[in-house]
Each structure stands twice: as structure tokens, then as C-alpha cells.
Amino acid sequence: MTNPPIRYDVCAVGNAIVDVLAPCSPEFLSARGLQPGSMQLVDETQSAALYDDMAAGVEASGGSAGNTVAGVGSYGGRAAYIGKVSEDTLGDVFAHDIRAAGVAFDTPRLGEGPSTGRCLINVTDDGQRTMCTFLGAANQLTADDIDPEMIGESAIVYLEGYLFDPAPARAAFERAADVAHRAGRKVAITLSDTFVVARWRTELLEFIEQSTDIVLANEAELGALYETEDFDAACDQLASMVEVAAVTRGAKGSVVLKGDQRVAVDAFPVDRVVDTTGAGDQYAAGFLLGLARGLSLEDCGKLGSLAAAEVIAHWGPRPMTSLVDLAKAKGLTL
């Protein structure tokens, strides 16, 4: 059977979340028992109370994988998204924003049940973000929401680790990976957060080994996955399990892994770090688009680093400057 033509560079499956970002002081966090730099899940009541206390900020469609495909669009790539929102105002915000970024989004909305998910992000002066997430409709995604045609027409199917938590969503991951591989496509996953890795380490390792071709992680997540502080040893283990991987290391840049190859990529300099929200998401955007277009591992890493540098220099998790224009200015071609 002939595989369908590629229509999308990247199709992401993730938690459809509306991000609410606002500045805060360390005292604001401590008064509410929030650990700086942490990410925690809250219920709808807790979310509403924190929202009322937060400073004025920015509201926009977000979620890790949603941010990534918005970055793919900013690079001039072709992107699609599968995620669950409700029939409510925030669901309208999410759908409008992601489509405005040039991303195809047609997942049926949740008719009854929890409201659209939102992530309340308080950012201190040093750019560190503290996130409280109410998942709402986002983790109501099921295998029935996976669009086989959209998956089959995507060069890379990108799975958001945050969505590994609920069993129905994990079943959706399994279906997406199966459909992708049957169509001859690649499957990528991001580990998303150390708490995700700690909670589901055994299951994640099994899924990576059996269903994944590409892994994206930061240094802390990689260490948690293999329960080691030996970075090189962890890289070797990951490289033995998948075709390609990229591990981000903050200001130290990133390392791209393929077999015995280790390609170190420098971080692009930033005058001032304003908000690190979305840095890993945007790195994934550039890296995955580069892979989808058949670029070298080094250029894939550079596209990732450039997108990450753009997003940490301003508020919000998505590019505010055309990434394709920035790439051209840096001599990077897609």
C-alpha cells in the first residue's frame, strides 16, 4: 500500500491549555505555598482562586505541544494539532489562537464535563516560571480523537509527555504511534517534566523503546529517566533506544544524539532573559521541523536554539518575531 503524501511537517498531540502569564514577586509565591520554578496540578476551585489573585497578564492558547506547533508555523512549516477543549470561552480562545498561528486544528470539542484547561504561570523578575495547571477538558482526550488521516499525512507525530498521565490519553498515544508507523512516519515524544518522568518512569521507558523514534528532554528529565547524574551515561542509554534525541541544557545549549554521534549545539545569546516559559517547546519546534525537512543534526539543533532564544527574550511561550526571518538572518535555511 502506498503511503499518503506528506501534508504536515509536524502533527502534535497534547494538552490543549490556555496559558495565563503574569509577573509576581517571590513573596507572592511563598504566601501561597508555591515552590518557585515548580509545576503542579490544581483543581478548578484552586485555579479560580489563584487567577483572582494574580496580577494583570497575558492570556493565549498554550500547552506545551500547542506552543511547539505554533513555533513550527512561525518557521514557515506546516503544522497540525490534536487536543481537547470544551464548548466555552476559553475553548474559543484556544481554537482561534492556534488556527491564527497557521496550525490545522479540528479535534471535536467536549460537549459535557470539565471546562477548558488553563495554566496559571507566575513569573519572577529572573524569568523563572511557577505553573499551576487545571487540566480540565485537556485530559479528556481519547483514542477516538486521533485523526488517522491527519496522522498519516504528517512527517513527524509529536506527543506531549504531560498527556501521558491519564489512561485514555495514553491509549490515544498508542493509537497515534501505531497509525504513524503504519504510514511510514516518525514518532517523537517530549518528556515534559521531571514529575512526569518520576511518576511514569517504567511505562515511559517501555513506550519509548516500543513506539518512539525521537525523544526530546532537558538534562534533569534525562537524569530522572535513567536515575543517574552521569549525563554522558544517560545520553548513551537514550541513544541506544531511539533513532534521534535532543537534550537541552539551558545556557549550555543542547546535545543532539544519533547512534554514536554527539553533536553539541551552543545556545544563542540573549541580552536579557525575561520569561523562560516555552523555551523547551520552541526548541522542539525548530528541531523537529529541521528533522522533517532532512537537515543536518547540527542545523536541527541550531533551529531549536534560535527559537528558544527568541521566546525567552519576551513574555509568553510563543514567538513574537517571525522565526523564518530570524533563521534567514542567521544563515539557516529550511
Side-chain angles (χ1 to χ4, degrees), residues 189-273:
I189 191 170
T190 170
L191 299 186
S192 290
D193 196 288
T194 53
F195 91 92
V196 173
V197 177
R199 186 166 176 173
W200 300 109
R201 178 178 176 271
T202 301
E203 293 85 352
L204 269 172
L205 282 168
E206 182 179 349
F207 182 79
I208 288 168
E209 190 163 34
Q210 295 182 358
S211 303
T212 305
D213 308 294
I214 303 158
V215 169
L216 290 103
N218 65 29
E219 190 169 1
E221 293 156 3
L222 178 68
L225 185 66
Y226 295 108
E227 296 183 325
T228 180
E229 294 182 5
D230 187 330
F231 179 73
D232 292 333
C235 285
D236 289 345
Q237 286 186 270
L238 181 57
S240 71
M241 293 179 70
V242 295
E243 288 182 25
V244 182
V247 184
T248 56
R249 310 186 76 185
K252 292 187 287 186
S254 62
V255 178
V256 182
L257 318 171
K258 183 175 184 180
D260 294 332
Q261 297 180 64
R262 303 290 181 271
V263 181
V265 180
D266 291 336
F268 277 91
V270 178
D271 290 337
R272 177 172 176 260
V273 175

Side-chain angles (χ1 to χ4, degrees), residues 30-193:
S30 61
R32 288 154 186 81
L34 299 175
Q35 179 69 32
S38 67
M39 185 282 191
Q40 61 182 290
L41 299 179
V42 295
D43 61 29
E44 196 154 9
T45 301
Q46 292 170 310
S47 176
L50 179 58
Y51 180 83
D52 287 342
D53 289 345
M54 287 171 62
V58 177
E59 296 186 3
S61 67
S64 174
N67 294 333
T68 294
V69 286
V72 171
S74 184
Y75 263 129
R78 302 161 299 170
Y81 184 79
I82 296 172
K84 205 75 168 175
V85 296
S86 283
E87 292 279 4
D88 56 18
T89 302
L90 285 181
D92 293 341
V93 169
F94 185 92
H96 175 272
D97 279 5
I98 200 160
R99 288 170 182 154
V103 178
F105 173 59
D106 300 307
T107 310
R109 293 201 195 188
L110 188 66
E112 295 181 359
S115 58
T116 295
R118 75 290 310 255
C119 182
L120 307 180
I121 307 171
N122 285 282
V123 186
T124 46
D125 283 343
D126 61 357
Q128 187 176 60
R129 69 216 192 280
T130 302
M131 300 186 287
C132 293
T133 303
F134 167 61
L135 291 171
N139 69 351
Q140 302 298 308
L141 189 80
T142 71
D144 289 341
D145 292 310
I146 298 300
D147 182 339
E149 185 176 343
M150 183 176 277
I151 294 290
E153 293 176 344
S154 302
I156 297 174
V157 176
Y158 179 57
L159 308 176
E160 178 186 323
Y162 283 128
L163 200 54
F164 200 78
D165 210 22
R170 198 179 310 169
F173 273 17
E174 297 282 3
R175 182 165 192 228
D178 180 63
V179 172
H181 285 144
R182 286 177 184 273
R185 310 309 186 199
K186 300 298 183 183
V187 175
I189 191 170
T190 170
L191 299 186
S192 290
D193 196 288

